[in-house]
Amino acid sequence: VVQVAVDAPLRQPLDYLPPPGCVAKDLPLGARVRVPIGRRRAVGVVAAHAPSSVLPLAQLRPVLEVLDAEPLLQPALLSLLLWTADYYHHPVGEVLAAALPRGLRDGAAASALVDRWRLTAAGAAALQAGEPARAPRQRQLLQWLAARAGAVAGEIDAEFGDWRATVRALTARGWIERDTVQTAAPWPQVGPSLADPAIGAAPPLHAGQHAAIDAIDAARYQAFVLHGVTGSGKTEVYLQCAQRALNRGRGVLVLVPEIGLTPQLVARFSARLSAPIAVWHSGLTEGERLAAWRAAREGSVRVVIGTRSAVFAPLADPGLIIVDEEHDASYKQHEGGCRYSARDVAVVRAQQCDTPVVLGSATPAFETLRNIELGRYRVLPLARRPDQAPAPRVALVDLRAHAASGGIATPVLAAVERHLAAGHQALIFINRRGYAPTLLCTACGWIAPCQACDARLTVHRSAALLCCHHCGAEEPLPERCPRCGFRVKPVGQGTERVEETLRGHFPQVGLARLDRDTARRADALKETVRAVMSGEARILVGTQMIAKGHHFPEVTLVAVLNADQGLFATDFRAAERLAQTIVQVAGRAGRERVQGEVLIQTDYPEHPLLHSLLDGGYDTFAATALAERRAAAWPPFGRLALLRASSRSASGALDFLTSARACAPRTDGVRLLGPVAAAMARRAGRHHAHLLLEAHERAPLHRLLDAWLPRIQELPQARRARWALDVDPLGID
DNA sequence: GGTAAAGGATCC
DNA sequence: GATCCTTTACCA
C-alpha cells in the first residue's frame, strides 16, 4: 500500500494500491502520482509505504499514473515537510502542495523539457541527393543539423534568426524530426551590472567576525545567534561563511524578512559569491517560481535568498542556513494555510541536514534569548566596529512638559533644525500611515466608523478618502458630519500629517515620505531611496519601512513619535516589539564618525520598560521583560496554541469554540482559556473569537492537539465557521 | 411540480 | 477543497 498526500484538508494521507505491474519501489517516497479521489483525479505525493491498510484492500483504488520515477522531493525535504505538517497540526497534503509551484502541482515534469531537432534518414538521403535545391535556408539548416547529433531550440536560436517556418517546412517533408529532452534548468548568473565594485570588495574583518566565521565554519548542526547592532558586520559574516560552504560544494539558504526592502543584501551576495543565486519570494510569477524550483533541485542554483516560503526551497545539499533579522514577525505565517514559523522550520531543517544555522539580529526574539540561556543555541556576539561611530545618544522627550505642534514636540523640531544646520539628515518615525487615525465631528461627537469592522476609519487626505486599515474598505472623505451636518476634523497623527507639519516648519528643505501608500509602486520606493541617498531629501518621514534594509549614511537624528502605543497594548509581545523597533530605528542614526541622536516622544517618561531600554540597551530590557514573562508563564516560558474561528453570524464562531472546548481531552499541564471574542471582534464583516491553550511544556500540548483535532473536525459546528489552529502564535488577537 | 439555494457527507 | 446528494424554501 502506498500512502498518498493529496491537496485536500485531510488529516492523513490516503491509501492506494500500486498501479498494475508496479511494485512499491517504482513509487518512491517523495514522487508524485496521479490518483482517483472521489469523482475527480488529483496529483498527490507518496508520503509513506505500508504493508497494509486499516481499510479492507477491496476498498482501495490503484494509483493511475506514476509521475516521477525519481523522488521529486528528496528525502530530507520530504521529512521536513512532514515534520511541519505534524508540528503545526496542518493537513499534510496542503503543506506539501504549498511547497510546490503550480506547474508541479498540476503534474508538469520535474525537469524542464525542451524541443530537440534531429536529421532523419530521409533527411540525410535528401541532403546527399542535393535537395532542397531551391530553398537555401532549408538547405543551410539541414546541413547544420547534419553536422551534429541534434540541436535544442535555444541553439538554433543562437545560430539562425527566425527559424520556426524553416523547421516547419523540413518537418513536413519528413527530413527532420522533433523529440523532447530534459535539461538541467539553466540559470542566469547575475551580471556585472549589479556587481557594484563598491560592494564587491571584502572589507578587513575584526576579531568578533573572525571568531564567528571560524565557529560557524567548523560546526555541523548548531544554531548560532549572530548578535550585533546595525553596522557591526553581520552580512560580511554571512558572506564569508556562505563562500566557504560553496567551496565545499554545498548549497546556501538565506532567509530575509522582505526581499523588496533588502536589495542591498541581494546585491552584495551576487557581487561576492561565486555561484548563481535565485531570489525567492511571493512576487514571482508561476513561471519564475517553477524555473527557480527546478534550478535549485537540479543544483544549477546553489544559493537561494528568499522570504518565508524559501525555507522549503528544494536546495539539493544545504551546507549553511542563514536567517537574517530572525526576530522579524514576517517569518511567522499568520493567516491562511499552515501557520509555520520559517525561523523555527529553518532550525529544524539545519538539524535534519546536520548543518549550522545562523540567526542574525541586533534584537533577538525572546524565544531565541531563552534558547541561548538553555544552551540550545550558541551566541556569537559582534561588537561595534572600531571604525564605527559610537552608539547614538538616546533621550526621552516628555510630551507633558513640552508644547507639540501636529504631534511633534518642540525639542524634536529644534533637534531637526540643529541636525539640518550641521548638514545632516533626519529620520522621523511614526508607526501609523495616513493623515489621521480618526475623523471627528466637533459638534455631535460622531467618529467615522468602518461598516464592516469594529474600527475607526483613517483619514487619507491627499487621496480624499476614509480608509479602513483592517478590511481595506474605502469611502469618500466627507466635508460635513453625516449625522448633524457640522464641521468634521481629523484627530491624531499619521505619516501624511507629520509630513505636512514638517513642510510647514521647514519649507526650504527636501522632504520624503515612505510608507505602504507611497511605496505602492516599486519605482516609487526606489525613487525615495535615491532622493534620500543623494541628499535631495533631507528629512524622511515613514513607518516601520524606513527601519529596514536601507542604510542612509548622512542620517544623524532619529525621532520616534508614537512609542506609547507599544507600552500599554494588551498583547503580551507589544513591549518586545516596541523595543526591537526602537533599537532598529535608532540603528539608522549616526554616520561614519559622527555620533547620532535618538529622541523618543512619550507621555510616560517614567515607564520602567523605556528606562531599562535606555539605561542598559536591548539586553537589559530583555532581561527585565523576560522576568515578567517568566512570572506570568508566557512564552518563551510556556507554550501556546490558539484556536481561531470566525463566522458571518455573531454566534457561529463562539458556538464552534464552545463545542470544541467541550470535546477537548483533559490533559495535565494544559490549560484552556476562553473562548472569548477577539479584541477587534468584527473584521471585514466577520465575527472573530478564539480559544487559547496554555502549557508549560511542549509535549502535553501536542499530545492534546493530536487527540483533539480529529474530534474538532467532526463537529457539526466546524462546518459553520472558518477556523484554524495557530501553534506558537505571535499575537493573541 | 419545478427550480434554486443551503446543508451535509465523503474522499483511500 | 471539490463533488455529489439531500433537504428546504419559494413560486406558479
Side-chain angles (χ1 to χ4, degrees), chain A residues 7-9 11 84-85 87-99 105 308 312 332-341 642-644 709 722-727:
Chain A
D7 186 7
R11 224 126 264 299
T84 303
Y87 182 84
Y88 292 100
H89 293 85
H90 197 81
V92 60
E94 289 188 358
V95 173
L96 289 168
R105 241 158 34 217
R308 186 171 59 225
F312 298 117
K332 181 71 163 56
Q333 170 129 349
H334 59 282
E335 53 195 4
C338 178
R339 299 169 186 228
Y340 63 96
S341 156
L642 192 66
L643 184 62
R644 305 176 196 269
L709 277 165
R722 240 182 240 168
W723 61 273
L725 181 73
D726 194 342
V727 175

Side-chain angles (χ1 to χ4, degrees), chain A residues 359-380:
Chain A
L359 309 177
S361 179
T363 53
F366 283 12
E367 275 71 10
T368 302
L369 293 175
R370 177 71 178 146
N371 279 322
I372 294 171
E373 193 177 278
L374 291 171
R376 293 191 190 129
Y377 296 180
R378 188 175 145 198
V379 66
L380 300 170

Side-chain angles (χ1 to χ4, degrees), chain A residues 189-204:
Chain A
Q189 174 92 47
V190 174
S193 58
L194 253 178
D196 178 348
I199 54 178

